[in-house]
């Protein structure tokens, strides 16, 4: 079976297993925290539509800044459908300062697990009448938020990108970009367009950056495009040890890229409640460069 045939087969199975339960919302609106901060350059200047962001937990916390140490988890939660997801997410929430989650569905059991952590879900579609998309959860509130949806060319169901800006202990700002990458297409045009939107956000930010998520990077050409897009922005890829990240055609599909951090630890673990294994890192913020 060729790679293209395998992708088509995967697409057919995915459609049969759940597409009937998915609805793309018609009305979209842009949301940002009720604070005297600007959005991320108006959520990429010239973007034709703003995206719906929903608070999954109260936007309140006693902690005001992140760093100098930062514990991060990246996990595609597989729509929170498999047994054991509550325990797995509860452990990640207790152990990590920052969670970047993909394929999250706003189930009733979700909010009690997250507690009072400021958590934002960017709705890409409706799944069984519940909002679904990417979620970023942290121990501090974001100062700015931007959400972008990009439709899959073949099936029209969007993939999403959520960018949050957080205050750091040394006065800098951290940009966190949570990506669920375009998947069901062989050509690279739509995939590159999504990467270009990501790059546009990073270019507007001069401080530390974390870019992570399910990139659906299942062929070498996709890996190459990611590198060509992110390396000029002074981001570098993190390879966990041990590296148990989920692979398709031999390529790790979950990625994490950094700027402004030293990696203390990076590992991946086998998830018992998702088709994606999780990625865990501990980071130390580099000193801010001297002002000129």
């Amino acid at each position: 079976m060729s790679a293209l045939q395998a992708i088509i087969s995967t697409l057919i199975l995915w459609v049969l297993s759940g597409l009937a339960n998915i609805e793309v919302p018609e009305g979209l609106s842009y949301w940002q925290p009720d604070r005297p901060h600007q959005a991320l350059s108006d959520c990429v200047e010239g973007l034709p539509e703003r995206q719906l962001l929903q608070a999954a937990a109260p936007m309140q916390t006693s902690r005001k800044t992140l760093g100098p140490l930062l514990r991060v988890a990246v996990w595609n939660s597989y729509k929170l459908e498999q047994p054991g997801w509550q325990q797995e997410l509860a452990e990640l929430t207790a152990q990590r300062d920052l969670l970047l989650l993909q394929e999250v569905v706003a189930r009733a059991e979700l909010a009690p697990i997250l507690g009072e952590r400021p958590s934002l879900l960017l709705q890409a579609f409706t799944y069984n009448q519940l909002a679904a998309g990417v979620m970023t959860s942290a121990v501090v509130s974001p100062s700015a938020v931007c959400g972008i949806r990009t439709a899959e060319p073949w099936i029209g169901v969007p993939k999403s990108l959520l960018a949050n800006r957080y205050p750091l202990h040394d006065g800098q700002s951290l940009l966190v970009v949570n990506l669920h990458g375009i998947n069901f297409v062989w050509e690279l045009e739509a995939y590159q367009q999504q990467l270009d939107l990501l790059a546009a956000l990073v270019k507007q930010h001069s401080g530390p950056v974390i870019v992570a998520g399910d990139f659906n990077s299942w062929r070498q050409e996709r890996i190459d495009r990611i590198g060509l897009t992110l390396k000029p922005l002074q981001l570098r890829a993190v390879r966990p040890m041990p590296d148990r990240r989920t692979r398709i055609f031999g390529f790790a599909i979950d990625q994490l890229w950094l700027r402004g951090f030293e990696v203390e630890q990076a590992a991946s673990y086998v998830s018992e409640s998702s088709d994606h294994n999780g990625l865990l890192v501990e980071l130390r913020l580099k000193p801010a460069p001297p002002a000129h």
Side-chain angles (χ1 to χ4, degrees):
M1 178 182 292
S2 69
L4 181 57
Q5 289 173 323
I7 293 169
I8 293 173
S9 298
T10 301
L11 173 62
I12 293 172
L13 290 173
W14 185 83
V15 170
L16 292 176
S17 65
L19 188 56
N21 298 322
I22 290 176
E23 177 185 352
V24 178
E26 295 180 359
L28 298 175
S29 60
Y30 179 66
W31 179 94
Q32 65 178 4
D34 185 18
R35 294 162 169 263
H37 297 282
Q38 297 296 316
L40 296 170
S41 293
D42 197 26
C43 197
V44 181
E45 185 176 358
L47 194 69
E49 59 179 351
R50 301 295 182 259
Q51 314 302 334
L52 178 63
L53 293 168
Q54 297 185 346
M59 298 295 292
Q60 300 174 3
T61 177
S62 59
R63 186 170 168 183
K64 302 303 180 184
T65 63
L66 294 172
L69 294 175
L70 189 61
R71 301 167 301 167
V72 182
V74 183
W75 183 45
N76 182 316
S77 63
Y78 197 52
K79 300 185 181 67
L80 304 177
E81 285 189 324
Q82 299 302 307
W85 72 263
Q86 293 98 328
Q87 180 179 348
E88 187 166 345
L89 183 58
E91 291 175 356
L92 292 176
T93 302
Q95 298 169 3
R96 300 288 140 176
D97 306 301
L98 184 63
L99 305 177
L100 287 82
L101 308 173
Q102 302 83 47
E103 289 196 36
V104 176
V105 175
R107 302 186 184 280
E109 306 96 319
L110 184 61
I113 295 173
L114 296 172
E116 295 186 354
R117 294 172 64 109
S119 305
L120 293 171
L121 171 65
L122 170 57
Q123 182 180 357
F125 54 88
T126 300
Y127 183 76
N128 287 335
Q129 299 182 329
L130 296 173
V134 301
M135 171 179 281
T136 300
S137 175
V139 293
V140 304
S141 293
S143 60
V145 179
C146 173
I148 301 171
R149 304 191 323 166
T150 305
E152 287 272 3
W154 285 5
I155 58 178
V157 176
K159 291 295 193 295
S160 46
L161 178 158
L162 176 58
N164 293 354
R165 189 166 62 212
Y166 294 98
L168 292 168
H169 80 291
D170 61 356
Q172 298 187 88
S173 292
L174 167 65
L175 176 64
V176 177
V177 183
N178 185 350
L179 176 73
H180 193 186
I182 291 288
N183 191 16
F184 301 111
V185 61
W186 183 257
E187 295 80 9
L188 293 171
E189 181 179 358
Y191 193 72
Q192 184 63 58
Q193 288 175 351
Q194 192 182 35
L195 292 176
D196 289 343
L197 289 170
L198 187 162
L201 287 165
V202 176
K203 288 176 182 177
Q204 297 167 6
H205 184 78
S206 59
V209 177
I210 295 174
V211 174
D214 176 4
F215 276 64
N216 279 311
S217 44
W218 41 256
R219 61 184 284 221
Q220 185 62 52
E221 290 79 0
R222 289 183 171 225
I223 298 288
D224 294 342
R225 291 296 183 98
I226 295 168
L228 289 171
T229 302
L230 299 185
K231 287 180 181 178
L233 302 174
Q234 286 74 56
L235 275 77
R236 63 187 182 96
V238 175
R239 181 173 181 179
M241 295 297 292
D243 191 350
R244 300 189 180 97
R245 288 177 294 172
T246 302
R247 282 172 161 75
I248 296 179
F249 308 134
F251 298 102
I253 57 176
D254 299 294
Q255 302 276 333
L256 189 148
W257 290 70
L258 301 174
R259 186 175 78 194
F261 290 94
E262 296 290 349
V263 179
E264 299 273 311
Q265 293 183 346
S268 54
Y269 70 93
V270 176
S271 173
E272 300 296 334
S273 59
S274 174
D275 60 345
H276 284 246
N277 292 334
L279 177 60
L280 305 175
V281 296
E282 295 185 12
L283 309 174
R284 182 176 295 275
L285 184 66
K286 292 181 179 179
H292 295 289

